[in-house]
Amino acid sequence: MSLSFFVNKLNYQQVAHVYSFTIAFALIFDIFVDFSFHGYWYFENELLWDGLAAMILLVVPANIVFLNWYPFNTSLKKQVLYFIYWELFLIFI
């Protein structure tokens, strides 16, 4: 089972909202990049379904874990440091 399902701050409705928003935002962004800049399908002229699996299994749980541990009711300094730590973690993973 994914780590994102072991949440203690977010309720299941919030988790469903994160899933819906992340997938919808990624879809809108992909459509915009494709139609505006022809930014996809460099090597193949068909839809690559592997990206959907990566979105559902990797990106959405990472968003849930990020929001679950986010220090909402703390100082701006702690919130910025949390964001910087996540960025460093994702860069050096």
Side-chain angles (χ1 to χ4, degrees), residues 1-7 10-27 52-65 67:
M1 185 178 263
S2 174
L3 179 65
S4 66
F5 290 108
F6 296 108
V7 295
L10 301 176
N11 61 33
Y12 290 110
Q13 185 179 18
Q14 291 169 328
V15 171
H17 286 131
V18 171
Y19 261 93
S20 302
F21 177 78
T22 302
I23 291 172
F25 183 77
L27 180 64
L52 183 63
M55 176 63 61
I56 293 171
L57 299 175
L58 296 175
V59 175
V60 177
N63 288 345
I64 291 171
V65 170
L67 288 173

Side-chain angles (χ1 to χ4, degrees), residues 8-10 63-87:
N8 56 7
K9 291 183 182 178
L10 301 176
N63 288 345
I64 291 171
V65 170
F66 176 83
L67 288 173
N68 187 47
W69 294 337
Y70 189 79
F72 286 107
N73 297 322
T74 59
S75 67
L76 181 63
K77 180 182 174 183
K78 287 185 180 181
Q79 292 176 355
V80 170
L81 282 174
Y82 177 79
F83 183 76
I84 291 170
Y85 292 151
W86 262 94
E87 288 297 321

